[in-house]
Structure formats: C-alpha cells, structure tokens
Amino acid sequence: MKATINHNPEYPQEIYIIGNGVIAKALAVALTINGRKVTILRGSIDNMPAYTKGIEVEIEDKILHADITISAISNYETLDGIILLTNKSFGNAELADKLKAKAKKAPIVFLQNGLHIENSFIDSGFTQLYRCVLLATSQSVTENRVRFKLVAPSPIGVIKGSDTVLKNIVDTLNTTLFTFRSEADIQTVIWKKVISNCVFNSICPLLETDNGIFHRNDAVLQIAKTVVAECLIVAKEYGIELTMDSVLENILFISKMSDGQKISTYQDILNKRETEIETLNLAIAKAALINGITDVRTTALLGELVKIKSELSRSFGEGAEALRL
C-alpha cells in the first residue's frame, strides 16, 4: 500500500539518516509514513544534487511505500536535528571529521555494529552521542525495495549526553513498524550484541548460509560456543559480566527469528562491499592483545578468513560465483 504522508506536528525535529543501506531504507520508510521529517544523506558522496526516491519495504504480508529525499552532507552548512548513523562503522573517522563543523552539538545515534565505534566522535569532541543496538534484520530485494523483520525493540543508551535527550530520541524514532526503547546499561547490551555478531558475521559468511544455521545444526552451534567463550574473557576485562547461557540464548533467539535471512557481512561479500569485520572479531582480538589475553584464536582466525574472503570477492570474478574458493 502507498502511504499518505502528513507530517506530525508532535515531531517537528528533522531526522537525518546517514547511509543508504537496507536498514536506512527500512527506517526511513517507517519514520516517514508515521509523519516524521526524514532525509537520507550519502556520507561518502559530496556535491550530489538532492532527489526524491520511492522506497518500498516488505513487512510480513504488507508492502509499504514512501518517497524519501536523498541528499549529501556537503549540501548542508549545518545539520540541526537527530543524526542516525547507519553507514558502515569503518567510515566513522572520516565521518566525524565531516560532521564536526556541521553538527557537533546535534544528537548522534549509532545504529552500527562493532566495538568502540564511537571513539572517533569522542576524540573529535562531540557532546551528544547515543548508541543503538539494532534488533532487526533487513535484506535487499531490489534496488528500491527491502525486506524487513523486527526481532525486538532496539535499545538506545547514552555514551555521552543526557537521559532527557535520550527520551526525546526514543520518542521520536519509535513507531509500530520499527520500535525502540531506552536502555540504562547500554554497554552490557553492546557487548552481548558484539559477541553475537562475532558469531553470525564470521561463521555465516564462511559457510555461505543464513542466520538460522545455529538452531538447525549442532556442529555449527559448537563453533559458536567456542567464539562466545573467548569473547566473554575479553568482555570481563572491560567490566562486563555476561554468561555463556545468556549470550547463547540471544544467538538462538536471533537465529530462529531471522531464519532464512543473510547476515549483513554475508550480504556485503556477495555484493562485493567492504565488511565491518574489523570492528567485530578483529576488534575483539585487538582488545584481547591490549589486555594480555592470548586465547582468542578461533575468534581471530574466523575474522581473518572473512577479511580475506571479502578482499577476494572485491578483487576477482562476478557475484556469488567469485566466492567459491
């Protein structure tokens, strides 16, 4: 169905979504059909004229449509509104440099995977930083259509900022299609998600399979347990107390809820794009090294293999056939 858009006066604040991937598109449609003012900004393209694009989202048996404005950061002198980062986290250093003259006081919300991905913005002096742990999956169907599945409300917490601004962010972003909630202990949630991502984003691409493999195949689940055990040792060094059972429960829940869906890293490899494995398995390995922890060999090896596979996919051949090594 095609939505009739009437901007809701209760939410006058502009929302800028940086990135043009599947999550950005799903979120832009969800917010727009609920009356929010949304613009997608291309973070890596400068001096691009703004244009409007029709985007569709498949949710269960419905197809939702909204016309979304797409522009570039360079088209703005200032960005006065909520800024959502859905771009790949490996671009954050460059992005922080681009935004520090335009949006240093604006609330920045990271909707990205990875460990310590906020550091470039902290180092650049941003004062309003919030971290969202996405509990949703989205997959490209065509250039202008994505398939979206909500797993659970996505928690948002304060990295630097205030609970008052956090409440405004959650109230503004929350819709019945794409739900959000406040989270006081966001660091524990971040680590649980990072560890889960170290499992999904390395094992699934290497096996060329979907997220459901962990609840379908016990041998693969055993490899996941090895990765989790290694990551929990590193998390403890950072004051994060998590248990094997709680992380495995999360992995199996996501596996069942997103059965048949391809994890983002696998989608990136298939589409010959750079992956975020540097801020997942390889970031855990780096954090382990800093803290004198040596036994993260499986986590590190899986990360290195994904990195190599990604590089090969971008260097040789076309499409999925290039991945048959």
Side-chain angles (χ1 to χ4, degrees):
M1 68 178 179
K2 186 170 182 176
T4 301
I5 310 303
N6 294 304
H7 287 303
N8 191 335
E10 186 179 351
Y11 305 104
Q13 202 166 16
E14 295 275 357
I15 301 171
Y16 300 101
I17 303 176
I18 297 180
N20 194 33
V22 290
I23 286 293
K25 291 173 181 175
L27 185 54
V29 170
L31 290 168
T32 300
I33 66 176
N34 281 276
R36 282 36 163 204
K37 298 179 181 179
V38 179
T39 301
I40 288 178
L41 298 179
R42 302 298 300 272
S44 59
I45 300 176
D46 292 329
N47 303 314
M48 178 192 76
Y51 64 96
T52 300
K53 187 174 190 177
I55 297 175
E56 294 180 332
V57 179
E58 295 181 10
I59 301 179
E60 296 178 346
D61 59 345
K62 296 180 292 186
I63 298 176
L64 306 177
H65 174 100
D67 294 324
I68 308 296
T69 299
I70 299 177
S71 188
I73 295 173
S74 59
N75 293 338
Y76 293 80
E77 290 187 6
T78 59
L79 292 171
D80 186 14
I82 300 173
I83 300 173
L84 311 180
L85 305 189
T86 68
N87 58 294
K88 296 296 184 182
S89 57
F90 53 72
N92 280 3
E94 181 182 352
L95 192 55
D97 190 57
K98 281 188 176 184
L99 291 177
K100 65 184 178 183
K102 301 174 185 282
K104 205 164 189 178
K105 296 182 180 179
I108 309 285
V109 185
F110 299 83
L111 293 89
Q112 301 168 314
N113 291 326
L115 191 62
H116 302 146
I117 60 174
E118 314 90 356
N119 286 356
S120 297
F121 286 82
I122 293 172
D123 294 343
S124 295
F126 285 79
T127 59
Q128 296 290 325
L129 303 176
Y130 302 84
R131 181 71 187 266
C132 176
V133 174
L134 280 172
L135 301 179
T137 64
S138 194
Q139 187 170 322
S140 180
V141 178
T142 66
E143 182 183 354
N144 299 327
R145 178 183 287 192
V146 298
R147 183 177 298 116
F148 176 78
K149 189 168 186 177
L150 183 69
V151 177
S154 295
I156 306 176
V158 178
I159 301 298
K160 289 180 66 177
S162 71
D163 290 338
T164 301
V165 175
L166 173 62
K167 183 180 185 306
N168 176 60
I169 290 169
V170 173
D171 289 346
T172 302
L173 299 185
N174 192 47
T175 67
T176 56
L177 301 173
F178 204 140
T179 58
F180 296 87
R181 64 175 180 83
S182 298
E183 173 55 57
D185 186 13
I186 195 63
Q187 287 297 337
T188 297
V189 180
I190 289 169
W191 274 88
K192 182 186 277 191
K193 181 68 185 301
V194 167
I195 295 171
S196 299
N197 280 132
C198 285
V199 169
F200 283 97
N201 290 62
S202 62
I203 296 173
C204 290
L206 292 172
L207 293 180
E208 299 183 350
T209 191
D210 65 278
N211 295 350
I213 190 65
F214 300 101
H215 79 88
R216 299 193 308 255
N217 188 296
D218 188 63
V220 179
L221 184 61
Q222 294 307 311
I223 299 173
K225 288 180 180 179
T226 300
V227 172
V228 173
E230 293 179 353
C231 292
L232 288 177
I233 297 170
V234 182
K236 191 171 183 179
E237 287 295 316
Y238 285 84
I240 304 299
E241 296 291 342
L242 289 166
T243 66
M244 173 69 76
D245 287 345
S246 68
V247 178
L248 282 180
E249 181 182 8
N250 184 58
I251 289 170
L252 288 171
F253 175 72
I254 294 171
S255 182
K256 290 173 183 176
M257 289 294 293
S258 59
D259 199 356
Q261 296 257 18
K262 295 183 179 71
I263 199 67
S264 59
T265 295
Y266 187 20
Q267 294 183 53
D268 289 337
I269 291 173
L270 289 172
N271 289 290
K272 305 169 80 65
R273 296 189 296 254
E274 191 173 353
T275 76
E276 292 180 305
I277 203 66
E278 295 277 0
T279 58
L280 296 172
N281 296 55
L282 300 183
I284 290 287
K286 182 178 180 180
L289 184 63
I290 290 170
N291 287 278
I293 299 168
T294 58
D295 195 11
V296 291
R297 288 171 292 183
T298 300
T299 304
L301 176 60
L302 292 176
E304 291 291 351
L305 288 172
V306 169
K307 183 179 179 181
I308 292 168
K309 186 165 187 169
S310 173
E311 291 169 350
L312 289 172
S313 77
R314 285 177 281 135
S315 300
F316 303 106
E318 295 293 332
E321 289 305 313
L323 308 181
R324 307 293 178 181
L325 305 182

